[in-house]
Amino acid sequence: MIDLYTWTTPNGRKVSIALEELGLPYAAHSVDIGKDEQFKPDFLRISPNNRIPAIVDRDTGLSLMESGAFLIYLADKTGRLLQRAGEPRYRVIEWLMWQMGGPGPMFGQVHHFVKYNKGKAPYAEERYLKEAHRLYGVLDRRLAGRDFVADEYSIADIAIWPWISAFEWQTIDLNAYPNVKRWYTTIAKRPAVQRGYKVPKDVGEIPMP
Ligand SMILES: N[C@@H](CCC(=O)N[C@@H](CS)C(=O)NCC(=O)O)C(=O)O
């Protein structure tokens, strides 16, 4: 049994989607970051960086912060969504790290400046939107002629997908990125993705282009 500490954000959803895909039993615990619950001392013990998501594996007692780290852990625990060795494994980790260092922090800034604080910082809006378009371009080129970012559907797709699901917040027209659009809509139809999207609570349907 996995305890998942999460909220209704892309970083949270990538873990609930992975848990649903892997069929691992889990209990979701809400950490409302709008109410600063991520700063409570109990949560700090599990997530020293005060950020969701985090997990505790009751089988092993291991607690982990940083979704990239525990997506690898969960995949290794089950032997699924990440190959055991060789180039295919590192290709998945490569694109997982691309999400952790690229779309995660950059799209997060787009949400901050373009959706929530529009008009307050034109330089930041321009900078992060330009970076978002560059990253969408990278992903679109990667997906040209292929179904998934690595060899098979993997934790890398699962990590990237929830960030693309906020394309409306990012003012991105997915028609400009046809390979991303095809990949996004295919993954959106997976039952595990639809279930994981609504954890820890249902705040609406998956946005479709
Ligand atoms: N690299 C971290 C990022 C986690 C992160 O930024 N989480 C956000 C929500 S998506 C958060 O907890 N924000 C709370 C805050 O800014 O205080 C991961 O992937 O786990």
Side-chain angles (χ1 to χ4, degrees):
M1 170 66 92
I2 306 288
D3 285 302
L4 167 63
Y5 297 84
T6 191
W7 192 238
T8 55
T9 72
N11 282 323
R13 286 182 181 135
K14 60 190 176 188
V15 188
S16 43
I17 289 170
L19 286 162
E20 292 286 347
E21 291 281 10
L22 293 168
L24 282 169
Y26 70 100
H29 308 280
S30 289
V31 179
D32 185 342
I33 62 174
K35 292 184 181 157
D36 280 350
E37 289 179 356
Q38 71 274 31
F39 297 109
K40 286 185 174 172
D42 280 355
F43 183 61
L44 179 68
R45 274 192 282 280
I46 300 165
S47 184
N49 197 36
N50 295 110
R51 299 226 153 175
I52 65 96
I55 62 161
V56 178
D57 185 342
R58 290 191 207 170
D59 298 342
T60 60
L62 181 71
S63 71
L64 287 168
M65 63 170 189
E66 285 298 329
S67 58
F70 56 84
L71 285 177
I72 294 172
Y73 173 80
L74 295 170
D76 282 346
K77 183 179 170 80
T78 52
R80 292 183 48 218
L81 299 175
L82 173 64
Q83 290 83 348
R84 289 271 182 218
E87 182 175 342
R89 177 178 178 87
Y90 295 108
R91 202 57 69 203
V92 171
I93 292 176
E94 173 184 58
W95 283 94
L96 174 63
M97 294 303 146
W98 177 79
Q99 182 280 306
M100 296 294 288
M106 293 302 120
F107 294 5
Q109 298 303 322
V110 173
H111 298 175
H112 203 74
F113 290 109
V114 175
K115 176 168 170 62
Y116 289 119
N117 291 285
K118 196 160 184 53
K120 286 193 191 156
Y123 174 79
E125 280 181 48
E126 187 190 330
R127 173 178 161 77
Y128 291 116
L129 262 182
K130 192 173 163 196
E131 180 63 357
H133 278 282
R134 189 189 69 78
L135 290 163
Y136 270 86
V138 171
L139 184 58
D140 202 63
R141 287 191 295 282
R142 176 63 183 171
L143 289 168
R146 53 188 315 135
D147 291 337
F148 303 111
V149 292
D151 297 336
E152 297 167 7
Y153 182 60
S154 72
I155 52 172
D157 299 289
I158 292 171
I160 299 165
W161 185 89
W163 284 101
I164 305 300
S165 76
F167 65 91
E168 291 167 328
W169 287 19
Q170 297 149 12
T171 64
I172 295 280
D173 177 4
L174 280 188
N175 293 313
Y177 302 100
N179 299 312
V180 176
K181 182 180 172 185
R182 168 182 46 79
W183 167 90
Y184 173 76
T185 51
T186 302
I187 293 176
K189 291 180 190 140
R190 296 178 69 91
V193 171
Q194 292 175 3
R195 290 193 301 273
Y197 188 84
K198 298 196 170 180
V199 174
K201 63 175 182 175
D202 186 350
V203 288
E205 297 305 313
I206 292 174
M208 295 305 279

